[in-house]
């Protein structure tokens, strides 16, 4: 794609990066075939190719974002299926992230939109606040039908029926390896996950310890910054990310770290991109060092030679989270681990398409999200599974709220197969 940025504009590293990405695009349109919003809406401007044109026009002109551009960029899930499909290697993630920062800086949203986005940014990344908000939503959920705005209804309906008690395993501490120590790893405990489902981190710690890992929950680490990053709130996202970088670098310089383990794939995609996010800052070297250490929990388990034996040969439908299969390009490892442990693993049709969760997307774009949820649940149900496995808490909540079958994290099944307790969501025998 031909671009027309001025030499002055190209002095800005963000514009220079956008220029590189735009020039890689050859207009082929392969991305439209795998874009969930294009599949639902059928509008070229709601496809990656269409959004690229809108972003190019906005950035080249150096103008503030307009309502039309904002509407179509807001509808993007950042599922990154387009990056998997693109034959030209267009790094759409960096481009749309830059566009969102530009929108946040130059566009004044309607007051209610500003209030909703501010509220989400001030609550979800903070487990204590989020837990209180979930409790309030649970109490108010019977009134959801009276809410005039679909986004408010979605926020009330997202509250799980059971809000788990706080897990003290999420507090800063060190868990010794069981047996000989093979590795020292930091576990990212996350933010929303600590309020929504504490079983995931608990299972991860148990399993890694049995695999010979000393597991560190670093003091000062918290939200990865993804939620605010994808809302264009760059300063807030960078503050969260910088706190993690400093906390993990301190551990690495102290007791050493062989890996930073992440069991929420949306967070993993962001942490692995810290090097890019901080490339022009004083934290550039440390950010790149942390990004290189980051790995999904299934990557580490494969590296350590995980072996397990499922107590029951359950039929497991594996849902591939977009952030794992497209953002991190991890596709076969989770399925191979589950199969190796003795589970019967099946996949739904159109496994590359998003379930509609996508961070705060299901709260800010509830109509499109609900349609993607309906399609995903239908394809999963068609495989007649006994349980759904996924590697991302957002997907688990999105799918679990629309189907009766249990939804568990992949690591919960792997922990069970390696001697841990039966996942709570499966009930008792």
């Amino acid at each position: 794609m031909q671009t027309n940025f001025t030499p002055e504009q190209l002095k800005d590293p963000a514009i220079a990066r956008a220029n590189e990405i735009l020039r890689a695009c050859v207009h082929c349109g392969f991305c439209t075939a795998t874009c969930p919003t294009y599949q639902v809406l059928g509008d070229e401007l709601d496809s990656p190719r269409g959004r690229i044109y809108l972003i190019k026009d906005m950035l080249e002109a150096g103008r503030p974002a307009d309502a039309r551009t904002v509407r179509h960029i807001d509808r993007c899930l950042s599922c990154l299926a387009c990056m998997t499909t693109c034959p030209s290697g267009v790094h759409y993630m960096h481009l749309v992230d830059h566009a969102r920062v530009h929108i946040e800086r130059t566009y004044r949203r309607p007051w209610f939109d500003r209030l909703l986005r501010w509220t989400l940014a001030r609550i979800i990344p903070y487990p204590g606040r989020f837990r209180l908000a979930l409790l309030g939503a649970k109490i108010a959920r019977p009134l959801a039908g009276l809410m005039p705005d679909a986004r408010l209804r979605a926020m009330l309906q997202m509250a799980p029926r059971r809000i788990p008690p706080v897990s003290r395993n999420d507090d800063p501490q060190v868990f010794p390896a069981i047996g000989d120590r093979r590795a020292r790893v930091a576990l990212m405990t996350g933010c929303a996950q600590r309020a929504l489902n504490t079983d995931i981190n608990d299972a991860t710690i148990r399993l890694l310890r049995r695999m010979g890992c000393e597991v560190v929950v670093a003091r000062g680490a918290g939200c990865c910054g993804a939620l605010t990053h994808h809302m264009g709130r760059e300063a807030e996202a960078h503050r969260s990310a910088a706190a993690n970088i400093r906390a993990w670098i301190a551990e690495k310089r102290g007791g050493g770290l062989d890996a930073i383990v992440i069991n929420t794939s949306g967070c993993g995609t962001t942490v692995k991109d810290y090097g890019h996010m901080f490339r022009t800052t004083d934290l550039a070297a440390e950010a790149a060092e942390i990004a290189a250490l980051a790995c999904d929990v299934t990557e580490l388990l494969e590296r350590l030679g995980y072996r397990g034996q499922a107590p029951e040969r359950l039929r497991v439908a594996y849902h591939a989270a977009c952030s794992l299969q497209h953002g991190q390009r991890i596709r076969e490892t989770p399925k191979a681990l589950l199969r190796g442990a003795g589970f019967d693993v099946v996949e739904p049709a159109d496994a590359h398409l998003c379930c509609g969760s996508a961070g705060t997307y299901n709260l800010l774009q509830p109509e499109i999200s609900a349609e993607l949820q309906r399609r995903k649940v239908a394809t999963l149900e068609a495989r007649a599974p006994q349980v759904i496995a996924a590697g991302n808490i957002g997907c688990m909540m999105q799918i679990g709220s629309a189907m009766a079958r249990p939804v568990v994290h992949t690591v919960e099944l792997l922990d069970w197969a390696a001697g841990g307790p039966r996942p709570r969501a499966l009930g008792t025998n």
Side-chain angles (χ1 to χ4, degrees), residues 51-110:
R51 293 182 180 111
I52 284 171
Y53 278 112
L54 290 172
I55 295 169
K56 176 181 182 293
D57 179 67
M58 176 177 67
L59 296 182
E60 279 186 340
R63 60 170 174 79
D66 55 37
R68 175 171 172 260
T69 300
V70 171
R71 180 172 64 255
H72 294 294
I73 298 301
D74 280 355
R75 287 177 180 171
C76 175
L77 292 138
S78 282
C79 71
L80 308 182
C82 55
M83 287 179 58
T84 295
T85 309
C86 181
S88 303
V90 176
H91 205 301
Y92 179 81
M93 181 177 81
H94 288 166
L95 184 66
V96 77
D97 284 346
H98 175 55
R100 286 177 168 141
V101 171
H102 184 81
I103 288 168
E104 189 68 15
R105 290 174 178 169
T106 66
Y107 181 72
R108 187 166 178 80
R109 296 176 182 274

Side-chain angles (χ1 to χ4, degrees), residues 3-16 19 59-60:
T3 58
N4 295 289
F5 292 104
T6 67
E8 190 65 28
Q9 285 178 306
L10 292 173
K11 291 179 182 178
D12 180 345
I15 292 293
N19 182 57
L59 296 182
E60 279 186 340

